[in-house]
Amino acid sequence: EAGVVQSPRYKIIEKKQPVAFWCNPISGHNTLYWYLQNLGQGPELLIRYENEEAVDDSQLPKDRFSAERLKGVDSTLKIQPAELGDSAVYLCASSLGTSFTDTQYFGPGTRLTVL
Amino acid sequence: AQSVTQLDSQVPVFEEAPVELRCNYSSSVSVYLFWYVQYPNQGLQLLLKYLSGSTLVKGINGFEAEFNKSQTSFHLRKPSVHISDTAEYFCAVRLETSGSRLTFGEGTQLTVNP
């Protein structure tokens, strides 16, 4: 069974440019997460979707970040405009649901470098 | 608010030696506890989790962890490490009341030397 797929794996852009990351969760997983991982730190939740609905986006900087999950499957995270401080790894994860027994499975991440 | 503290940012050990990676948490409500491993340029992989029941939890790759409620700890152990265990290890906590949000520690880099 395929795991969580993310693309691109690496992205280098100049500041003030827009950028988008794509995530395809494990088939059948209703819950999807986007995490931000700064260098030398643990991941921090940006947003959580249950099907198409964003149910926890309190950590998402809404002035420049946006996300969508059309049809409750794939998801896109966008930054516009990017700033130097956005350089980090963006991780996508998915789980069957939100029960405490449901494991979160992580993708390989997209490493963003903003110049 | 809950927090997770990984007491060692780096742990160097020799191959076949035992290792313990320390994790403490703070929370006023019941928690579920996890250890994830991250190999270079890869995503996080679940090693083991404590949900309830026995406080000694066994995971993949020979790792185990013990939940100690009185000391609010969840230390990860392996009796004999291999070169291939070199990776970043993250402890995470999920509150019983916080939905499925995971709060991660800052990670411990385990380096196994020959």
Side-chain angles (χ1 to χ4, degrees):
Chain A
E1 179 182 294
V4 176
V5 179
Q6 291 187 248
S7 68
R9 290 294 312 276
Y10 305 91
K11 187 73 175 179
I12 301 174
I13 61 171
E14 295 191 347
K15 63 181 180 181
K16 299 185 182 180
Q17 295 299 306
V19 65
F21 315 124
W22 176 80
C23 173
N24 179 242
I26 293 173
S27 177
H29 281 195
N30 296 319
T31 306
L32 184 145
Y33 312 78
W34 283 103
Y35 286 88
L36 165 68
Q37 186 177 21
N38 286 307
L39 185 65
Q41 297 184 21
E44 299 174 25
L45 181 69
L46 288 173
I47 189 169
R48 171 169 63 95
Y49 281 93
E50 291 183 21
N51 299 303
E52 301 94 346
E53 184 180 1
V55 295
D56 185 354
D57 63 355
S58 58
Q59 303 289 85
L60 188 73
K62 298 182 182 63
D63 57 336
R64 298 185 298 108
F65 286 65
S66 64
E68 60 182 10
R69 190 184 185 198
L70 299 176
K71 300 182 180 179
V73 182
D74 296 358
S75 178
T76 302
L77 178 69
K78 298 177 182 177
I79 308 175
Q80 182 170 8
E83 297 178 353
L84 294 177
D86 296 330
S87 294
V89 176
Y90 293 82
L91 294 167
C92 180
S94 71
S95 63
L96 274 173
T98 56
S99 166
F100 68 95
T101 59
D102 290 332
T103 296
Q104 292 185 30
Y105 295 89
F106 286 79
T110 296
R111 182 178 298 275
L112 174 66
T113 302
V114 182
L115 302 176
Chain B
Q2 75 279 14
S3 69
V4 181
T5 303
Q6 292 185 239
L7 297 163
D8 306 293
S9 60
Q10 298 193 33
V11 174
V13 294
F14 288 109
E15 194 173 18
E16 298 183 6
V19 71
E20 178 180 81
L21 306 184
R22 298 179 293 169
C23 173
N24 284 88
Y25 68 93
S26 63
S27 174
S28 57
V29 299
S30 296
V31 298
Y32 307 116
L33 297 157
F34 306 80
W35 276 99
Y36 280 84
V37 60
Q38 186 175 33
Y39 298 102
N41 298 315
Q42 295 187 28
L44 281 72
Q45 179 183 5
L46 182 68
L47 274 178
L48 49 79
K49 57 186 176 183
Y50 171 77
L51 303 179
S52 65
S54 172
T55 57
L56 182 62
V57 180
K58 294 188 183 298
I60 62 171
N61 301 341
F63 284 93
E64 63 180 32
E66 186 158 19
F67 171 55
N68 188 319
K69 188 175 182 179
S70 62
Q71 298 188 6
T72 60
S73 67
F74 190 55
H75 301 334
L76 182 70
R77 302 185 183 99
K78 186 169 182 178
S80 176
V81 295
H82 304 289
I83 299 286
S84 59
D85 292 322
T86 294
E88 187 90 19
Y89 291 79
F90 292 95
C91 181
V93 63
R94 171 179 166 171
L95 297 186
E96 193 176 46
T97 56
S98 70
S100 56
R101 172 189 289 259
L102 288 176
T103 298
F104 286 86
E106 294 196 345
T108 297
Q109 173 63 43
L110 173 66
T111 301
V112 181
N113 298 301

